[in-house]
Amino acid sequence: MAVASPVEVQITRGLSEGHPKLSIGPEAALNGPAGGPAQIGRSAPGHGVPAHYTRGQLLDALFLELRDADTLGDAQSISRRIHSLFMQSGSHTLDLLMMRSAKAIEGKEYGLALDLLDAVVRLDPGYVEGWNRRATVYFLKEDLGRSLADIEQVLRIEPRHYPALSGFAMILRKTGKNDKALEVFQHVLSIYPLLENAQDAVKSLREELWGQYH
């Protein structure tokens, strides 16, 4: 395997043909460009998205803005808005279960957190953050197989879910699959180019792979 010399991470935005496809990973991450419908060109600076947008249209617009953000502050602000939309369950019961699971995780009561999150994904299998949070708990428990299974569910619902993709890449790295981890982190950067953790991971992995083959 030929590995390029380690260089600074190069960020590419506004790809005319959409984001690159992954060649490995959970099936949902393979189905089409990460940007989905949000390939309509660069968002106009200083203009928010229309209030009449549906939730899906708003997510598409925000992912487009995230891709094109010029500053770290802008990108982080957009990311928080995306996370807020992901967290919206439309159910007081789910909100309560998620709040209790967050407290359980904070207290490292992972068994309790899993019980609560099991209930969340049973009540609403389409609620993306239920799966994502349960994947995180499994990762914290080092149950990587179950974590990957939940990550796949996340990506079936929302293929652009960069926290889940980052978790997938971390598992690949943890299991010694550095070349595949690099590919997934690069995919994350095609969605969120200014994500510092992913930038650092890409640089580090390139250096590690360079050292392995030279």
Side-chain angles (χ1 to χ4, degrees), residues 86-118:
F86 284 162
M87 285 297 297
Q88 290 178 7
S89 70
S91 163
H92 293 303
T93 300
L94 291 183
D95 290 344
L96 180 60
L97 289 168
M98 290 293 284
M99 182 178 68
R100 289 179 175 173
S101 72
K103 290 182 178 178
I105 294 168
E106 185 178 353
K108 298 186 178 180
E109 299 178 83
Y110 298 141
L112 174 58
L114 287 174
D115 288 343
L116 293 164
L117 293 167
D118 287 347

Side-chain angles (χ1 to χ4, degrees), residues 26 135 138 143-153 167-168 171-172:
Y138 280 133
D143 190 341
L144 303 185
R146 285 190 172 92
S147 183
L148 278 173
D150 280 359
I151 287 171
E152 182 164 6
Q153 292 298 326
F168 175 41
I171 290 173
L172 289 170

Side-chain angles (χ1 to χ4, degrees), residues 103-211:
K103 290 182 178 178
I105 294 168
E106 185 178 353
K108 298 186 178 180
E109 299 178 83
Y110 298 141
L112 174 58
L114 287 174
D115 288 343
L116 293 164
L117 293 167
D118 287 347
V120 170
V121 299
R122 272 199 312 271
L123 287 168
D124 187 355
Y127 178 47
V128 70
E129 281 308 306
W131 296 105
N132 186 56
R133 185 168 292 177
R134 198 173 73 169
T136 300
V137 177
Y138 280 133
F139 182 84
L140 292 170
K141 287 171 60 66
E142 298 191 359
D143 190 341
L144 303 185
R146 285 190 172 92
S147 183
L148 278 173
D150 280 359
I151 287 171
E152 182 164 6
Q153 292 298 326
V154 173
L155 298 177
R156 286 184 186 279
I157 299 166
E158 177 48 79
R160 301 165 295 188
H161 198 293
Y162 48 88
L165 285 164
S166 295
F168 175 41
M170 289 168 64
I171 290 173
L172 289 170
R173 192 172 191 180
K174 195 176 182 70
T175 54
K177 300 178 177 67
N178 286 352
D179 53 342
K180 294 180 179 180
L182 174 60
E183 184 178 347
V184 178
F185 274 124
Q186 289 173 324
H187 186 65
V188 170
L189 288 178
S190 77
I191 301 168
Y192 187 167
L194 297 182
L195 184 59
E196 292 179 306
N197 289 344
Q199 290 179 354
D200 292 343
V202 166
K203 182 178 179 181
S204 174
L205 283 163
R206 283 177 176 170
E207 290 172 349
E208 289 177 27
L209 288 167
W210 172 260

